Amino acid sequence: MSHSQSPAGPPQGWVARVVETFLSARYSILFMILASLLGFWGVQATPREEEPQIVVPMADVMVQAPGASAQEVEKLVATPLERLLWQIDGVEHVYSMSRPGLAMVTVRFFVGQDRERSLVKLYNKISMSVDQVPGLVRGWVVKPMEIDDVPILNLTLYSGRYDDHALRRIGEEVLSRLAEVPDISRTAVVGGRGREVRVELDPGRLAGVGLSPLAVRQALVGADQSVQAGQFSQADRSISLTSDGFLTSAAEVRHLVVGVYQGRPVYLRDVAEIRDGPAEALSYTRLRHSQRYAADHGLTEPPDGYPAVTLALAKKKGTNAVTVADNVLARLEQIKAEIIPAGVEVAVTRNNGRTAQDKSDELIHELVFAVLTVVVLMALTLGWREALIVALSVPLSFALALFVNHLLGYTINRVTMFALILSLGLVVDDPIINVDNIQRHILMGKLKPAQATLAAVSEVLPPVIMSTLAIMVAFLPLFFITGMMGPYMAPMAANVPLTVGFSLVCSLTVVPWLCYLLLKGLAPKEGPTAGQAQHDPTPEWIRRGYRRVVEPFMASRGRRWLLAGGILLGLLGCVALVAGRQVPVKMLPFDNKSELQLVIDLPAGSTLEATDRTVRDFERYLAQVPEVTETISYSGLASPMDFNGLVRHYYLRQGGNVADIRINLVPKERRRQQSHEIALRLRDGLTAIAARHGANLKIVEVAPGPPVLSTLVAEVYGPPDLAYGQLLDSAAGLRGVMAGQPLL
């Protein structure tokens, strides 16, 4: 970057040649048009999501061992399978859960491993070891999980007229049509009772005709089958024979012959009551509005809320969450009059497309506000022309960065937008330095405006290049963060260096041309003569204020040492705040979401009714909270999976002693407290309800970063011959120690 300077003209070198090319050939106009078009295309083509795409190769291996106890499943199935999966290269964690008749082993590969290759290795390893499978194993299934399996849209159907059985049937019809929307992947209906044909045997009538329940069951199993009987040829045609005997209605079940007594056929209706209706209740799902929300909207709902079912819809990988969610909601409006009867309401209880759009719009508004702030300051200090130059160059840097962001496969998410806002303070440095120096050289009048522009850029560009490279080097280590935080922060590691790099390109091309175009008219008509003072373009109030601040320290060594000591003391004071725990230290700040989750576990063996009574107490308490709009409770099953529960496996929770409550809050602009503060405020009341029912309660907030097992995870180990009960006792003691620690 060295250059030679002669008295006859401006400095010459590669920097000056590049700048001169764009000054003379008007390439800057083409560059600005191209950058704007590429940026516009990048913004339109890049998918928008709330969270960055995190590729976590992970799979659950579920093994069925009917009749085996939990200890037998652990010793004979889970432990050997753990050792087997540990042999696969690239595996980071293997952990298992054993219960009567079932083992689930979760294998997690290192972040960054190719997902398809990891799953192929997993399948191959299991297939190669089929000969080692114990005889008690009756089957297994491998279920891969990824972030795109998380539903982006939850639609809750509730009604005061229809029960959960009718709502589920309506929901299934609605979901079958919503699944036709392009870019929809996994779908599910959560809650409600399905349809079943129930056969209730009468022991007295069975005995009267000499039949046993086992004989009736065998007759039902044999009748509910379809058999390919074969084929024959006739008249030069091949005809297939099938026996289609599937039972399709309660009437067919009633007329089924299950035996013969005294030479007469015995029909199933003779020995049993057959009912076509809802299945037995294995779960309860409800929606309940808060008292304030119901009063504001004039609702008079039942005291215990409405029965409800939830439709969960996920999107395909690489698609735009905003577009997919909008298309689903538009399709829902079309089919409401066709399928959803009067008396059934639909509440959008999760819309990640809307939250992604809101987050993106919010960050874009902040970005525009920050740019306008810089422009206003430039206009006050240098002038409106100079401010206009910066206002035109900064968006070009962002446009090119977003275009390359799309080429790299990143989405527009909150981390990407945060990186752009962070880089704004770095991006404006290069054009401001160039504009200020070019203005100074032009107003001095020593050279013609074109030559003054070349001289000004050549003068300051070496330090500008060095500062840009220093910024890139400072952010490149983010690429080497391990764990799930690595891909989560990858958009920041890419976009900050990209933005400052393109800012440097603009400083070589667009900024000098715009400065020459807008400032050449400000040059003195004649250059300064001998003995004439050069014109200083800096406003007088800036020079006067700068002298008042700096001159006292320049004039006194004692003041300089005092300033250095004050800076050092301030730095030590900031460190002391952290060391003294006066300022909490976190990886990422809390996000102000509009939802919370309660994960409730009652003691093992608790009935579904006992769990539901506990849930109703929580609902009554939450209905009094003014920030709550509604709660959606799931007793006996898990709520639809979210970003946080992906790794924690909340979606596998099932049984009479478990429950989830989803809490929706009013939008953040309509409440004073953030969601984290609301969770802390409600903790004592919710904990008291849990203690009264002997329940284990977790208040779960949406993770501000990548999903983790928990904030703090402790694992308890012991020798192989240690009884499992002793491990549980040790874990309980450790839990008591941890529970006694203060909340920070």
Side-chain angles (χ1 to χ4, degrees):
M1 283 177 287
S2 62
H3 55 260
S4 59
Q5 183 170 352
S6 62
Q12 298 295 323
W14 72 269
V15 171
R17 287 195 296 271
V18 171
V19 176
E20 186 176 15
T21 300
F22 280 84
L23 283 179
S24 59
R26 301 296 189 269
Y27 290 141
S28 295
I29 298 178
L30 297 177
F31 180 81
M32 294 174 65
I33 295 175
L34 179 63
S36 301
L37 292 176
L38 292 177
F40 178 79
W41 182 81
V43 170
Q44 296 299 318
T46 305
R48 295 192 179 192
E49 299 177 311
E50 187 169 5
E51 306 290 349
Q53 283 286 329
I54 301 178
V55 180
V56 184
M58 179 177 68
D60 298 325
V61 183
M62 298 182 179
V63 184
Q64 298 176 0
S69 65
Q71 291 79 6
E72 292 171 335
V73 170
E74 179 191 12
K75 298 296 183 182
L76 300 177
V77 179
T79 301
L81 186 56
E82 286 180 7
R83 288 196 295 263
L84 185 69
L85 298 181
W86 262 118
Q87 300 172 13
I88 304 175
D89 61 302
V91 171
E92 182 181 17
H93 294 296
V94 176
Y95 39 88
S96 67
M97 178 195 70
S98 300
R99 58 188 303 177
L102 178 68
M104 188 188 76
V105 181
T106 299
V107 54
R108 282 177 53 190
F109 291 81
F110 284 102
V111 175
Q113 294 278 320
D114 183 79
R115 182 175 183 270
E116 283 70 23
R117 294 182 61 184
S118 300
L119 294 178
V120 168
K121 289 188 289 186
L122 175 61
Y123 277 98
N124 288 343
K125 193 65 175 180
I126 294 176
S127 300
M128 291 168 53
S129 307
V130 172
D131 57 332
Q132 304 177 24
V133 175
L136 56 87
V137 172
R138 291 294 178 266
W140 61 85
V141 61
V142 180
K143 298 186 65 174
M145 298 300 299
E146 59 180 336
I147 189 173
D148 286 301
D149 294 328
V150 176
I152 64 167
L153 194 64
N154 286 348
L155 306 174
T156 300
L157 278 65
Y158 64 95
S159 173
R161 181 184 304 177
Y162 298 94
D163 60 8
D164 58 344
H165 170 59
L167 288 173
R168 184 174 181 89
R169 298 187 66 179
I170 296 171
E172 290 170 348
E173 290 293 328
V174 173
L175 189 63
S176 66
R177 287 158 175 78
L178 295 182
E180 300 171 355
V181 175
D183 299 325
I184 286 293
S185 60
R186 289 194 177 188
T187 61
V189 180
V190 182
R193 291 175 292 167
R195 177 194 175 195
E196 73 174 13
V197 176
R198 182 183 303 178
V199 178
E200 298 179 356
L201 298 176
D202 187 322
R205 286 189 279 176
L206 279 176
V209 295
L211 289 177
S212 66
L214 181 58
V216 175
R217 180 183 182 278
Q218 291 175 347
L220 282 169
V221 172
D224 192 28
Q225 291 184 3
S226 180
V227 179
Q228 194 79 19
Q231 61 182 14
F232 66 92
S233 299
Q234 184 179 11
D236 202 23
R237 292 184 62 187
S238 179
I239 301 175
S240 298
L241 295 178
T242 60
S243 174
D244 189 1
F246 287 125
L247 300 174
T248 59
S249 66
E252 293 183 3
V253 176
R254 291 189 183 96
H255 292 84
L256 180 65
V257 177
V258 294
V260 177
Y261 181 72
Q262 295 180 353
R264 298 178 59 186
V266 178
Y267 297 97
L268 186 57
R269 65 175 181 269
D270 297 331
V271 295
E273 294 292 334
I274 294 91
R275 293 185 175 89
D276 185 352
E280 291 188 11
L282 300 177
S283 63
Y284 297 120
T285 51
R286 281 186 307 276
L287 182 144
R288 178 168 180 170
H289 296 107
S290 67
Q291 295 176 0
R292 181 171 181 177
Y293 182 90
D296 292 343
H297 292 77
L299 301 177
T300 55
E301 65 179 33
D304 291 329
Y306 300 99
V309 298
T310 300
L311 313 182
L313 301 98
K315 70 177 185 65
K316 293 181 180 178
K317 183 177 181 180
T319 56
N320 194 324
V322 179
T323 304
V324 175
D326 289 344
N327 292 340
V328 171
L329 294 178
R331 177 61 175 154
L332 177 65
E333 291 298 323
Q334 294 176 359
I335 65 176
K336 271 187 176 180
E338 303 173 6
I339 301 175
I340 302 178
V344 176
E345 303 293 335
V346 182
V348 181
T349 51
R350 179 194 298 172
N351 187 349
N352 286 353
R354 185 195 63 193
T355 55
Q357 184 67 49
D358 292 344
K359 183 70 67 174
S360 177
D361 292 343
E362 179 183 353
L363 293 175
I364 289 175
H365 293 160
E366 293 177 359
L367 186 63
V368 172
F369 176 77
V371 172
L372 291 178
T373 302
V374 173
V375 170
V376 170
L377 291 176
M378 288 283 296
L380 294 176
T381 55
L382 294 179
W384 68 268
R385 294 179 179 86
E386 293 79 358
L388 180 62
I389 295 170
V390 176
L392 292 175
S393 63
V394 170
L396 294 179
S397 303
F398 287 147
L400 292 172
L402 287 171
F403 170 71
V404 179
N405 180 80
H406 173 70
L407 295 182
L408 294 176
Y410 296 124
T411 60
I412 296 178
N413 51 68
R414 60 177 180 168
V415 178
T416 303
M417 300 306 298
F418 176 72
L420 295 179
I421 292 179
L422 174 65
S423 61
L424 175 63
L426 308 172
V427 167
V428 297
D429 289 346
D430 295 352
I432 288 176
I433 292 173
N434 274 344
V435 169
D436 178 62
N437 206 43
I438 292 173
Q439 181 204 54
R440 184 174 65 87
H441 274 263
I442 289 178
L443 293 181
M444 284 193 310
K446 296 178 62 176
L447 298 172
K448 293 182 178 180
Q451 295 176 333
T453 301
L454 296 177
V457 175
S458 299
E459 187 175 79
V460 299
L461 204 62
V464 167
I465 293 176
M466 293 303 298
S467 66
T468 302
L469 294 177
I471 293 171
M472 291 181 175
V473 171
F475 279 89
L476 285 178
L478 291 176
F479 276 114
F480 304 99
I481 297 178
T482 59
M484 280 187 287
M485 186 59 72
Y488 192 86
M489 300 300 293
M492 180 175 292
N495 280 279
V496 174
L498 280 174
T499 310
V500 297
F502 285 123
S503 175
L504 178 61
V505 173
C506 291
S507 298
L508 281 171
T509 56
V510 176
V511 172
W513 178 76
L514 288 174
C515 287
Y516 172 71
L517 184 67
L518 297 178
L519 303 182
K520 63 182 180 180
L522 303 179
K525 300 302 181 182
E526 297 181 0
T529 59
Q532 180 182 358
Q534 297 180 1
H535 173 65
D536 188 353
T538 307
E540 179 61 28
W541 66 273
I542 293 181
R543 287 184 288 149
R544 185 169 57 250
Y546 183 77
R547 285 197 301 268
R548 288 180 179 177
V549 172
V550 175
E551 284 181 355
F553 297 102
M554 301 294 294
S556 171
R557 174 178 294 181
R559 291 193 183 100
R560 293 197 295 271
W561 280 107
L562 185 63
L563 176 62
I567 294 174
L568 181 60
L569 286 176
L571 178 61
L572 293 177
C574 294
V575 175
L577 289 175
V578 177
R581 297 188 176 184
Q582 300 300 311
V583 176
V585 179
K586 288 174 53 63
M587 177 68 72
L588 292 170
F590 288 110
D591 197 6
N592 190 11
K593 297 288 187 178
S594 294
E595 60 178 311
L596 296 170
Q597 180 184 6
L598 302 184
V599 178
I600 305 167
D601 294 293
L602 268 70
S606 299
T607 63
L608 178 62
E609 287 68 25
T611 303
D612 191 56
R613 286 195 297 271
T614 304
V615 169
R616 291 177 189 272
D617 277 357
F618 282 110
E619 290 174 340
R620 283 190 286 269
Y621 174 81
L622 293 170
Q624 303 172 13
V625 179
E627 294 90 349
V628 172
T629 58
E630 70 261 343
T631 59
I632 307 95
S633 60
Y634 304 84
S635 301
L637 77 168
S639 61
M641 178 174 56
D642 60 7
F643 187 63
N644 196 40
L646 177 65
V647 175
R648 299 186 183 184
H649 287 78
Y650 283 161
Y651 57 91
L652 293 177
R653 289 162 39 83
Q654 190 173 5
N657 65 318
V658 302
D660 281 6
I661 299 179
R662 293 282 179 175
I663 307 170
N664 288 335
L665 307 175
V666 297
K668 57 185 178 181
E669 60 269 11
R670 293 171 50 195
R671 47 185 163 87
R672 297 181 179 179
Q673 288 186 318
Q674 295 191 351
S675 57
H676 177 66
E677 296 173 334
I678 295 174
L680 292 179
R681 194 186 81 208
L682 301 180
R683 178 186 294 273
D684 292 340
L686 295 173
T687 304
I689 297 174
R692 188 163 64 246
H693 291 272
N696 181 12
L697 173 67
K698 303 180 186 68
I699 304 175
V700 182
E701 302 179 59
V702 179
V708 295
L709 287 176
S710 192
T711 305
L712 182 64
V713 178
E715 298 182 358
V716 180
Y717 298 91
D721 57 345
L722 186 66
Y724 190 68
Q726 293 178 280
L727 278 177
L728 290 178
D729 294 340
S730 301
L734 178 60
R735 177 183 177 183
V737 173
M738 298 174 68
Q741 300 301 312
L743 296 175
L744 300 180

